[in-house]
């Protein structure tokens, strides 16, 4: 039983994936905590009448809050422009043996025993090949195949590697 479907990724899909990875690792929460500390420093300096430091602290806080999203957005757009495989139609074949992705003449195969984990949220199905890299499949494009893919994942992967609702 092979499940076949086509998807078309966008730069927005890649950006959302990168944001998820950034804010579920240590980098995201640390940048938010640092921004909060700079805001607190800005408030304290304003209370002490040192307004030039207040502006500086608030500006640094804004930089810490906006740097990651802006960087990830520009990186996603650049990657999408330069990578013909990602910007093209990706044809998936999910079988009992492996997950195959075809794009033109390119082909990638990921055997089930090499899958790090499969995670699904309301927008995406993510098939991780390691802790960082994943195949991104928009759920709206997966449509009716989701339940079949989920059943196959539950059958082929250890329970702790499948986080699909």
């Amino acid at each position: 039983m092979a499940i076949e479907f086509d998807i078309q990724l966008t730069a927005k899909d890649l950006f959302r994936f990168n944001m998820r990875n950034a804010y579920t690792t240590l980098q995201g929460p640390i940048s938010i905590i640092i921004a909060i500390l700079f805001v607190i420093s800005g408030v304290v300096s304003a209370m002490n009448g040192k307004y030039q430091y207040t502006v500086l602290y608030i500006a640094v806080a804004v930089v810490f809050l906006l740097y990651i999203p802006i960087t990830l957005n520009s990186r996603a757009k650049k990657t999408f422009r330069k990578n013909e495989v990602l910007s093209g139609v990706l044809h998936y074949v999910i079988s009992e043996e492996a997950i195959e992705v075809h794009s033109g003449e390119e082909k990638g195969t990921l055997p089930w025993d090499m899958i790090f984990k499969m995670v699904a949220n309301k927008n995406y199905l993510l098939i991780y090949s390691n802790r960082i890299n994943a195949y991104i499949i928009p759920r709206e494009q997966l449509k009716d195949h989701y339940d079949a893919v989920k059943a196959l994942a539950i059958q082929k992967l250890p329970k702790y590697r499948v986080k699909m609702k």
Side-chain angles (χ1 to χ4, degrees):
M1 167 184 104
I3 305 161
E4 295 190 38
F5 54 90
D6 293 326
I7 67 149
Q8 176 75 50
L9 286 177
T10 64
K12 184 178 179 181
D13 296 325
L14 192 56
F15 168 69
R16 283 184 174 177
F17 171 74
N18 288 335
M19 284 289 287
R20 180 186 188 280
N21 277 357
Y23 283 98
T24 55
T25 61
L26 207 53
Q27 175 187 9
I30 285 177
S31 68
I32 292 171
I33 290 169
I34 290 172
I36 290 170
L37 291 174
F38 273 106
V39 167
I40 291 170
S41 297
V43 169
V44 169
S45 65
M47 291 170 48
N48 291 332
K50 298 181 179 175
Y51 299 109
Q52 67 274 22
Y53 290 115
T54 301
V55 172
L56 178 66
Y57 289 140
I58 299 299
V60 171
V62 169
V63 167
F64 269 95
L65 285 176
L66 296 180
Y67 176 76
I68 292 174
I70 289 172
T71 303
L72 292 177
N73 190 32
S74 66
R75 192 179 306 158
K77 288 178 181 177
K78 182 179 177 183
T79 300
F80 207 77
R81 275 194 312 268
K82 289 186 175 186
N83 192 324
E84 292 178 16
V85 173
L86 278 179
S87 60
V89 175
L90 300 171
H91 180 74
Y92 280 80
V93 179
I94 300 177
S95 67
E96 296 278 334
E97 295 78 37
I99 297 173
E100 294 180 5
V101 184
H102 303 265
S103 177
E105 305 228 351
E106 301 287 327
K107 176 184 171 185
T109 303
L110 184 63
W112 284 101
D113 61 345
M114 297 298 292
I115 294 175
F116 182 73
K117 68 180 174 179
M118 286 181 75
V119 177
N121 58 33
K122 69 178 185 172
N123 296 318
Y124 299 101
L125 169 62
L126 304 171
I127 304 170
Y128 283 87
S129 57
N130 57 41
R131 295 178 72 98
I132 299 169
N133 301 319
Y135 293 97
I136 305 166
I137 304 173
R139 290 270 303 260
E140 65 186 20
Q141 294 181 39
L142 190 57
K143 297 183 182 167
D144 300 333
H145 300 293
Y146 178 77
D147 291 330
V149 171
K150 179 182 174 182
L152 199 53
I154 290 170
Q155 175 190 347
K156 291 293 188 178
L157 296 173
K159 189 175 184 173
Y160 67 92
R161 289 188 177 183
V162 180
K163 301 210 180 345
M164 300 171 71
K165 296 179 183 177

